[in-house]
C-alpha cells in the first residue's frame, strides 16, 4: 500500500486528508498524479504543474520522476506560506 | 550547538526563549530575534483571523535542515524556533526565530537566512479569515526572491 | 513612528520593550531585535568586566539621527534603543535595538543598519577589565566596514 | 570662553574631563589642537591625526577646519566603541 496525503487547499479540494492506494497501480509520482481526480472531475494532472503544486515522498520534497515503493508516504501540497 | 524547535498551538514567551539562549554560553555576545505577528491588514484587506496548518514531522525535519545549513555558514551558539499552528487573531505571534552567536553579523545573517528558508521550505500553510470569508494564502514572489539571494 | 531611546545604568527587560513595540500598532507584522551581551572572552583574553561611558546628550542626538536615516530608507512603525553605561560583567546586556515594521525585510535591514551605525557613530566608549588590568577598546575595522556597506 | 571636554582614554591621558579656554586664543579646531599638550609634555597635535581622534563642536562631529566661536563646546574623543 501507498499512503497518499493532502494538505491545506488541496485537502479541501479533494475533500479528504488522504487515502491508501494499491502499490501495483503506480510506479512513480507522475503515474500517481495521472491517476488522481478531484471530486468535480478535474484531472489532478491538469492542475499539478499549472499551480506549482509540491510533492514529498517520505517527507522529502521530490519531483515527478521519483519512484514509489511499497509503504511510501506521498504528500501533495501547495507552495508553503508559513512564517 | 543548542537547538530547540517547537511547533505548537499555545502562545509563547519571547522572554523565556531569550533567557534560555543567553544562558546557553558565556560566549554569547549577540542575540538576534525575529518575531512574526498577525497583521490586521494584508494586501489592504481587513484580516480578522488566521488558521495555520502544517505537515507534522516533515515540518520539524525541514526546520532542522535549515538550521544545519545556517550553522555551516556561520558559527552559531544557539537557535530557537517556535511556530504556532491553529487559530490566531491580529496581534498574535506566529513565529519566533532567535539566534545566539559570538558576533552580531553572524546572528543577524543566520536569523534572516532561517526566516527566508522557513517561509519557502517549511511545510506550513496559512488560511486568512476576513470580511469576504476564508482564503488560502499563496506564496509571495518576494519570499522566493529573499531565499534565492542566499544561494551561491 | 514610535521612537524611544534610553541610555541608562540599570538593566532592562527585552520582554517589556518587545511588548511596547507590538502594541504600537496592529499593522506590526515583524519585529527584529538585536541584543549585545558582555562576553567572557574578547580576542582570546579573559574578560571580568566592562566599564562604559558616553557623551551625554550627544549620544542621544546621534542615535535619533541614525534612526531618522533608517526610517528614510525603510517604512518603520517603531524603534526602541536601550544602551547601558557604567560597570557591567559577563552575561550582562549592553545594548538592545528593536525595530517593528510591516514586513520582515524592513525590520531586519533597519535593525542591522541601526546597530552598524551605533557601533561607529554613537559616542560610547568601552573599557575592558581583565586579568591583565584595564584597557580601552579600539574600534574594529570590521565595524567600519559593516557601516560602510550601507552607503550608496 | 570655549568649553573643552575629553572622553574615555583622552580624559584619562589629560587627567581631566575638560577646562575652559579664552576665546581670543583660538580660531579653529586645528588651532585649539596645536595649543593643547598632554601632562607628559606630548603635543596633542602629534597624536591627533595619528590616533584618528575625533572632535565635535556643539555635539556635531567636525574636522580641523571648523571655526570656533564664543560659547562653543569642543569635545575630543577616540573612535567610539559602544554596542
Amino acid at each position: 500500500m501507498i499512503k497518499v496525503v493532502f494538505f491545506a487547499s488541496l485537502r479541501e479540494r479533494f475533500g479528504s486528508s488522504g487515502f491508501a492506494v494499491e502499490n501495483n497501480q503506480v510506479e512513480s509520482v507522475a503515474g500517481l498524479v495521472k491517476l488522481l481526480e478531484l471530486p468535480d472531475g478535474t484531472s489532478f494532472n491538469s492542475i499539478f504543474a499549472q499551480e506549482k503544486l509540491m510533492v514529498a515522498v517520505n517527507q522529502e520534497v521530490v519531483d515527478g520522476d521519483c519512484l514509489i515503493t511499497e509503504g511510501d508516504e506521498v504528500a501533495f501540497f501547495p507552495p508553503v506560506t508559513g512564517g | 550547538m543548542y537547538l530547540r524547535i517547537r511547533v505548537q498551538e499555545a502562545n509563547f514567551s519571547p522572554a523565556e526563549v531569550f533567557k534560555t539562549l543567553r544562558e546557553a554560553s558565556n560566549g554569547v555576545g549577540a542575540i538576534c530575534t525575529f518575531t512574526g505577528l498577525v497583521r490586521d491588514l494584508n494586501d489592504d484587506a481587513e484580516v480578522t483571523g488566521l488558521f495555520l496548518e502544517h505537515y507534522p514531522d516533515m515540518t520539524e525535519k525541514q526546520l532542522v535542515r535549515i538550521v544545519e545549513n545556517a550553522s555551516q555558514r556561520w558559527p552559531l551558539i544557539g537557535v530557537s524556533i517556535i511556530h504556532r499552528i491553529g487559530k490566531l487573531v491580529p496581534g498574535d505571534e506566529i513565529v519566533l526565530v532567535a539566534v545566539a552567536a559570538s558576533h552580531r553579523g553572524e546572528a543577524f545573517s543566520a536569523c534572516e537566512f532561517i526566516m527566508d528558508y522557513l517561509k519557502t521550505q517549511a511545510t506550513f500553510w496559512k488560511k486568512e479569515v476576513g470580511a469576504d470569508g476564508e482564503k488560502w494564502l499563496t506564496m509571495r514572489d518576494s519570499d522566493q526572491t529573499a531565499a534565492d539571494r542566499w544561494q551561491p
Side-chain angles (χ1 to χ4, degrees), chain A, chain B:
Chain A
M1 301 292 279
I2 308 290
K3 184 181 173 193
V4 178
V5 291
F6 303 115
F7 288 99
S9 54
L10 273 189
R11 180 175 43 71
E12 292 188 350
R13 287 160 80 184
F14 273 102
S16 161
S17 60
F19 52 85
V21 226
E22 285 298 329
N23 190 23
N24 57 13
Q25 289 182 270
V26 288
E27 284 194 341
S28 68
V29 165
L32 178 59
V33 167
K34 283 186 189 128
L35 201 70
L36 299 177
E37 203 169 74
L38 294 178
D40 67 3
T42 310
S43 80
F44 187 48
N45 197 40
S46 69
I47 64 165
F48 187 71
Q50 198 188 336
E51 301 186 11
K52 294 181 185 166
L53 299 178
M54 299 180 72
V55 55
V57 172
N58 299 327
Q59 307 190 352
E60 293 281 343
V61 172
V62 296
D63 62 22
D65 298 335
C66 182
L67 297 181
I68 301 177
T69 57
E70 178 64 22
D72 280 352
E73 176 175 294
V74 183
F76 293 104
F77 45 81
V80 302
T81 56
Chain B
M1 193 188 75
Y2 169 89
L3 172 60
R4 186 160 183 200
I5 289 173
R6 284 172 279 179
V7 178
Q8 63 187 41
E9 293 203 14
N11 202 350
F12 53 81
S13 155
E16 181 255 317
V17 172
F18 185 84
K19 187 167 178 290
T20 308
L21 279 183
R22 282 180 63 170
E23 291 169 357
S25 155
N26 269 341
V28 174
I31 297 179
C32 180
T33 75
F34 176 83
T35 309
L37 304 161
V38 182
R39 298 165 65 214
D40 57 359
L41 275 182
N42 189 22
D43 295 334
D44 295 327
E46 197 186 329
V47 175
T48 56
L50 277 188
F51 172 76
L52 268 139
E53 77 173 61
H54 81 129
Y55 187 170
D57 298 336
M58 179 160 173
T59 312
E60 289 85 346
K61 283 182 201 164
Q62 297 280 82
L63 293 174
V64 168
R65 190 172 300 170
I66 292 167
V67 173
E68 283 171 353
N69 288 340
S71 73
Q72 278 164 17
R73 287 181 170 233
W74 301 283
L76 306 180
I77 296 173
V79 174
S80 189
I81 301 177
I82 309 181
H83 201 298
R84 291 177 72 190
I85 51 170
K87 290 189 178 181
L88 302 176
V89 297
D92 277 351
E93 284 98 345
I94 305 170
V95 62
L96 171 69
V97 172
V99 175
S102 294
H103 304 290
R104 79 181 182 289
E106 301 152 2
F108 270 115
S109 296
C111 191
E112 193 164 15
F113 175 98
I114 292 169
M115 270 307 302
D116 287 344
Y117 280 103
L118 182 154
K119 295 282 282 188
T120 53
Q121 296 189 343
T123 44
F124 293 101
W125 299 274
K126 272 193 199 106
K127 185 196 256 183
E128 200 171 84
V129 186
D132 302 334
E134 302 183 340
K135 74 167 186 226
W136 289 98
L137 297 182
T138 51
M139 193 191 286
R140 292 171 193 267
D141 289 343
S142 59
D143 285 330
Q144 192 58 58
T145 308
D148 289 346
R149 82 200 144 109
W150 296 103
Q151 306 218 343

